Amino acid sequence: MFADRTDAGKRLATELERQGIDADLVLAIPRGALPVARPVADALEAELDVVVARKMGAPNNPELALGAVASDGTVWRNDDLIAQLGVGEQYLEDVRTTEAENARQKADRYRNAEDMPNLEGKRVIVVDDGVATGATATACLRQVRAGDAAAVVLAVPVGSPSAVEALRSDADDVIALRTPGNFRAVGQYYRDFGQVSDREAIEYLETGE
């Protein structure tokens, strides 16, 4: 059990240091990952920025992820679920376009409209506060990979065993402090898992400046 996201970030930083994992850049998936990623970036003396993705929700059930799309348009699709629900390509393209633009606007807001740092040749750690389905994390990892990073590591305090295992195909390594077999939701492993506002999240980005 983590006290809060900052506590989880400190524990994650300790584990990354123990494993000898270095980074040039730490990318948090906003908003909830910023309090986790700040201690990681500080401990590794790495720059902190964000990588943004949005879920592609199912028709009439937006919380059910058919996939996810990153701010640069990089997409991951859950083809099995798409086939099971019989979702058409036009719907998928429409929701991809909409959510990619939403992700781009969110990234611009966090960076004050500046571009993402150059990823080419850099060692990058992508941090989230936990993974349940892994949809947004997958899209984020693929965006980083497309930026020609030298190494891509996903680091999370907790995740479902199946999601963590699946994410290994899109990262050079996945560090998860806990992968409980009875996983139900990320929030159950935090005593304090309150919402992080945009303003609070941006403050974590500004702390190291």
Side-chain angles (χ1 to χ4, degrees), residues 139-197:
C140 289
L141 288 170
R142 291 186 179 184
Q143 178 177 357
V144 175
R145 184 71 76 190
D148 292 327
V152 184
V153 174
L154 176 68
V156 296
V158 63
S160 76
S162 59
V164 167
E165 189 58 36
L167 285 160
R168 295 188 187 281
S169 63
D170 286 291
D172 295 301
D173 198 0
V174 177
I175 307 299
L177 300 183
R178 296 193 62 188
T179 54
N182 63 343
F183 180 94
R184 296 190 304 277
V186 171
Q188 77 184 98
Y189 299 97
Y190 290 83
R191 283 196 291 273
D192 178 0
F193 197 64
Q195 288 287 328
V196 178
S197 70

Side-chain angles (χ1 to χ4, degrees), residues 7-83:
D7 172 51
K10 290 177 179 177
R11 295 199 213 177
L12 196 56
T14 298
E15 178 61 18
L16 290 165
E17 288 182 307
R18 188 190 70 79
Q19 294 196 28
I21 296 174
D22 293 321
D24 303 302
L25 181 64
V26 174
L27 296 178
I29 302 175
R31 296 179 305 243
L34 266 302
V36 181
R38 181 78 263 172
V40 171
D42 289 347
L44 301 181
E45 298 182 345
E47 180 183 355
L48 177 62
D49 208 287
V50 295
V51 58
V52 182
R54 297 269 299 187
K55 283 191 299 188
M56 295 164 51
N60 304 315
N61 189 359
E63 291 304 309
L64 180 61
L66 298 176
V69 59
S71 59
D72 70 338
T74 304
V75 69
W76 170 78
R77 292 175 25 159
N78 185 336
D79 290 324
D80 289 342
L81 182 59
I82 289 167

Side-chain angles (χ1 to χ4, degrees), residues 59-112:
N60 304 315
N61 189 359
E63 291 304 309
L64 180 61
L66 298 176
V69 59
S71 59
D72 70 338
T74 304
V75 69
W76 170 78
R77 292 175 25 159
N78 185 336
D79 290 324
D80 289 342
L81 182 59
I82 289 167
Q84 178 184 333
L85 298 178
V87 179
E89 286 299 323
Q90 187 59 56
Y91 174 87
L92 291 167
E93 179 57 24
D94 288 346
V95 74
R96 186 200 68 79
T97 300
T98 298
E99 295 302 347
E101 177 60 19
N102 288 337
R104 186 191 65 77
Q105 290 179 5
K106 187 172 186 178
D108 284 349
R109 186 164 65 251
Y110 276 68
R111 293 198 189 95
N112 197 24

